[in-house]
Amino acid sequence: SVSPAARLEVSALEARVTGLGWPLRGSAGVHADLRPPGGGRLRVTGRVGLDPLDADVRVITQNAELAPYRPYLPVAARVAGAADVDLAVVVPSLGEARARARGRAALSRVDVRDGERTVMRVERATATGVDVDWPERVVVDRLALAQPWALVERDAKGDLTLRALLTPRRSAAPCGAGACPPAEAEPAGEPVAATIVHLTVDGGGLRVVDQKVSPPFAVDLQSATLRMDGLSTSEPKPARLELTGRLGPGSELTLRGTVGALGGPLKLDLNGEVRDFALPRTNPYLLQHVGWKTDEGRLTSKLQCRVDGEALSAKTDIRLSRLHLVRAAEQDKAQARMGLPLGMITSLMKNKQGDINLSLPVRGTLSDPRFDLGETIWSAVRTVAVHAIALPVSWIGRVRVSKDSRIERIDVDPVTFEAATPTLTAEGQAQVARLAAFLDELPEVRVALTPVASSSDVAELKRRAAETALERVARQHQLSRDAAAARLFRERFPDRPAPATPATALGALLEAAEVAPTEVTRLGTQRLETVRDTLTRAGVQGERLTERKLVQREGRESQVDVDILDPETPRPSKMREVLRRL
């Protein structure tokens, strides 16, 4: 009646039946000892009722193999292992699908396979205090799993292979001489209420593989221990759990909290922590979502998560240590969502210790069609990043944010100078001091310094050139200032009539005065040196300061512009990447 057909061969059968007569009525004593299919021993002792049919027996198995019964499993998985059972079984009537069982049971060397690949295994599973009242309830006082392991894999289409492997197949309707009738769905009865009072896992493992990203993501949970009390499908009181394990080399995972009844609305209240998780393991997701990858860094995260039915409320406190990002794609997807290149954002968020500290809240209604977990997380990251960057930037300037909460640009206040001099103004001195404190607090930020020569600088240089010429003429010819201006005017403009007043002569000299381009360039260089020397004396490394060419502008600004640079993150060569993979 099953496909493939089941062949179950028993041997070494020893049986004794007492109290059997004709006509068949009453009950008979039964004692049977045999070798079940695959090996081991099976013993059945007790009473079997003949009219009506019922049973009250004790069933004991020792090392009974599970593989021969695979055709009866409604799943595609291949299951192997051995069972040790000691149960007192009472069947009130064989005509009714009812039974009671008490005792203990154990499975050993359980191996669940998908073809030739193991997807689940348990070295030993022991259930004590088994109390079954079928089909209403199943209670296990203690279930202990020793060295269990499972493979949780998402394929390239996004489906969980383990779910498909363990999903029961539909039983086909029997076919007669004609066509097979369409299969009718069996009416669903009341679910069996199952309870595990105490669940323990020792030496557990879990391998998570995601084939939907490229390259595939994989991580192992090892040496896991789990303590869970009150796990149930129907009890209103939530179960308490405590999980610890190693999440890759040098990383630890802890999880504590409560889980609501498995048969009811989803209810979780969990607190967890991951310590020192290697960030390069997350590169498949970084490449897909932001176009960057990391070759160094550690993640420590504390999670608080509550789910009550459809309401989600979660908060994650994250510390990223020694993070080093490398651009790995032409498009910076993080910049499209946040406004700034990811490298610049991370450099602005790192503290003096090189750490990034974030607190991400996530809230929403899971059943709301407008709720998208990915977009919700991006929105939280964008908000946190803006706030984290805005505070230190406020010391030296301001963050410009668009209407959709993306960072448009960062405006840094310039360092101001006295006109036509390399001397800082009072505000310029204060700005350099603030800039030094900013760079000291954010050790990975680099800035560009651009000297600006304004029209007021050029006018002042011309005035100084004219004044120098006047002093020279007055000193050589022992003349007054006004007489020197008149003489210098006649020398410079011999074809023009003499001005009516000395002031007019001086104005004409100022207007005609020329400033050599080298003078303006030298002024810009001196201003750069002033800013650089002040910052380096404050402890800022010179390689963090990039000097740009002089810019001339109309206006009265006498300053050095300051711009925050995107950190240098060259893409590694393809040859080096191939060698690394090899």
Side-chain angles (χ1 to χ4, degrees):
S1 66
V2 292
S3 179
R7 292 182 58 86
L8 304 177
E9 296 186 4
V10 299
S11 58
L13 174 62
E14 297 178 3
R16 183 172 68 252
V17 180
T18 60
L20 185 64
W22 185 263
L24 297 177
R25 58 176 176 267
S27 61
V30 176
H31 178 94
D33 197 341
L34 55 91
R35 183 178 184 273
R41 298 302 297 175
L42 168 64
R43 178 179 298 172
V44 179
T45 59
R47 179 193 62 80
V48 176
L50 302 176
D51 187 15
L53 291 173
D54 58 21
D56 185 353
V57 296
R58 183 180 181 187
V59 180
I60 300 175
T61 67
Q62 294 179 348
N63 206 30
E65 292 292 333
L66 302 176
Y69 307 98
R70 176 178 174 266
Y72 293 98
L73 294 177
V75 296
R78 296 168 54 187
V79 181
D84 296 314
V85 172
D86 187 352
L87 292 174
V89 180
V90 177
V91 181
S93 172
L94 293 181
E96 301 177 12
R98 301 187 61 84
R100 296 193 302 272
R102 308 286 188 276
R104 62 178 181 82
L107 299 176
S108 57
R109 307 186 313 278
V110 177
D111 189 15
V112 181
R113 288 179 172 266
D114 177 8
E116 297 300 321
R117 182 180 64 166
T118 295
V119 295
M120 290 180 65
R121 65 173 179 263
V122 180
E123 183 62 28
R124 188 164 183 81
T126 304
T128 58
V130 177
D131 186 352
V132 179
D133 192 352
W134 191 264
E136 296 175 357
R137 65 183 182 89
V138 176
V139 177
V140 176
D141 183 55
R142 292 187 179 275
L143 176 60
L145 304 181
Q147 299 181 25
W149 180 89
L151 171 65
V152 178
E153 183 179 38
R154 186 169 75 153
D155 62 21
K157 296 180 180 179
D159 298 327
L160 292 176
T161 57
L162 191 61
R163 177 190 296 173
L165 188 65
L166 298 180
T167 299
R169 299 185 296 261
R170 282 189 174 184
S171 57
C175 298
C180 296
E184 295 183 0
E186 297 181 358
E190 289 293 325
V192 179
T195 301
I196 301 176
V197 182
H198 303 289
L199 170 64
T200 62
V201 174
D202 289 305
L206 184 71
R207 182 166 180 80
V208 178
V209 177
D210 191 353
Q211 301 281 359
K212 193 172 175 59
V213 294
S214 180
F217 169 81
V219 68
D220 290 290
L221 176 64
Q222 301 170 325
S223 302
T225 62
L226 172 66
R227 302 292 182 268
M228 201 164 186
D229 297 329
L231 181 62
S232 174
T233 62
S234 58
E235 290 293 329
K237 185 178 180 181
R240 301 195 64 83
L241 70 86
E242 183 174 344
L243 171 69
T244 61
R246 290 191 294 109
L247 199 63
S251 178
E252 297 181 1
L253 168 68
T254 60
L255 191 64
R256 297 180 179 85
T258 61
V259 179
L262 300 182
L266 183 61
K267 234 180 175 180
L268 298 174
D269 190 353
L270 300 175
N271 295 297
E273 182 178 10
V274 176
R275 292 188 292 275
D276 290 329
F277 182 76
L279 280 172
R281 287 179 170 269
T282 65
N283 277 336
Y285 297 104
L286 291 176
L287 288 168
Q288 177 173 324
H289 293 290
V290 297
W292 293 66
K293 69 178 184 178
T294 174
D295 52 16
E296 185 182 2
R298 289 279 171 174
L299 164 70
T300 295
S301 175
K302 293 183 178 180
L303 169 68
Q304 299 175 355
C305 178
R306 296 190 66 181
V307 179
D308 190 352
E310 300 294 336
L312 167 67
S313 175
K315 179 184 176 184
T316 306
D317 295 325
I318 299 174
R319 184 177 76 246
L320 304 175
S321 304
R322 305 191 306 275
L323 174 65
H324 182 254
L325 290 172
V326 178
R327 189 190 292 269
E330 293 296 333
Q331 182 182 9
D332 186 346
K333 298 179 182 178
Q335 183 173 3
R337 290 180 174 271
M338 303 179 69
L340 292 180
L342 184 61
M344 181 183 294
I345 291 174
T346 55
S347 68
L348 286 167
M349 297 179 70
K350 287 185 180 180
N351 59 21
K352 295 181 69 172
Q353 291 74 36
D355 297 340
I356 296 177
N357 295 297
L358 299 172
S359 182
L360 299 178
V362 176
R363 296 178 181 273
T365 302
L366 299 178
S367 60
D368 189 344
R370 295 169 298 178
F371 178 76
D372 185 300
L373 183 59
E375 290 298 327
T376 302
I377 293 175
W378 266 116
S379 177
V381 169
R382 186 164 55 241
T383 301
V384 169
V386 170
H387 291 167
I389 292 172
L391 177 59
V393 169
S394 66
W395 305 342
I396 60 171
R398 62 208 55 81
V399 176
R400 302 293 185 185
V401 181
S402 64
K403 292 181 179 180
D404 56 359
S405 300
R406 286 172 172 79
I407 302 174
E408 289 185 330
R409 65 181 187 278
I410 295 177
D411 293 337
V412 180
D413 295 334
V415 178
T416 56
F417 288 80
E418 301 289 348
T421 72
T423 303
L424 292 165
T425 64
E427 177 54 34
Q429 294 175 4
Q431 176 65 354
V432 172
R434 291 191 293 267
L435 189 60
F438 172 82
L439 294 174
D440 179 63
E441 189 67 25
L442 304 176
E444 291 206 5
V445 173
R446 296 170 55 250
V447 297
L449 305 176
T450 305
V452 176
S454 65
S455 55
S456 62
D457 286 323
V458 176
E460 178 62 19
L461 289 174
K462 286 183 177 182
R463 188 192 65 78
R464 291 180 185 176
E467 291 289 346
T468 301
L470 281 176
E471 291 177 2
R472 176 177 54 77
V473 171
R475 186 173 57 255
Q476 288 179 351
H477 301 283
Q478 300 295 315
L479 298 174
S480 67
R481 176 183 174 82
D482 291 345
R487 182 183 180 89
L488 188 59
F489 182 89
R490 289 194 302 272
E491 292 178 357
R492 297 246 177 120
F493 311 110
D495 298 333
R496 292 171 60 177
T501 64
T504 305
L506 182 58
L509 291 172
L510 288 175
E511 184 178 353
E514 295 182 355
V515 178
T518 55
E519 285 294 313
V520 180
T521 303
R522 186 165 64 88
L523 176 62
T525 302
Q526 290 173 339
R527 287 175 172 175
L528 283 177
E529 291 175 353
T530 299
V531 176
R532 174 182 285 275
D533 292 345
T534 306
L535 290 175
T536 53
R537 284 197 302 269
V540 178
Q541 297 91 342
E543 57 268 20
R544 298 174 62 189
L545 308 174
T546 298
E547 296 181 359
R548 290 177 173 170
K549 293 182 179 180
L550 176 73
V551 174
Q552 290 188 259
R553 295 183 193 147
E554 292 293 328
R556 302 183 60 83
E557 301 88 356
S558 300
Q559 62 193 38
V560 168
D561 287 344
V562 181
D563 296 298
I564 297 176
L565 294 178
D566 189 10
E568 294 179 357
T569 53
R571 289 191 296 274
S573 68
K574 292 184 178 180
M575 178 61 70
R576 185 178 298 274
E577 182 67 14
V578 170
L579 292 175
R580 186 190 67 79
R581 292 187 178 185
L582 289 176

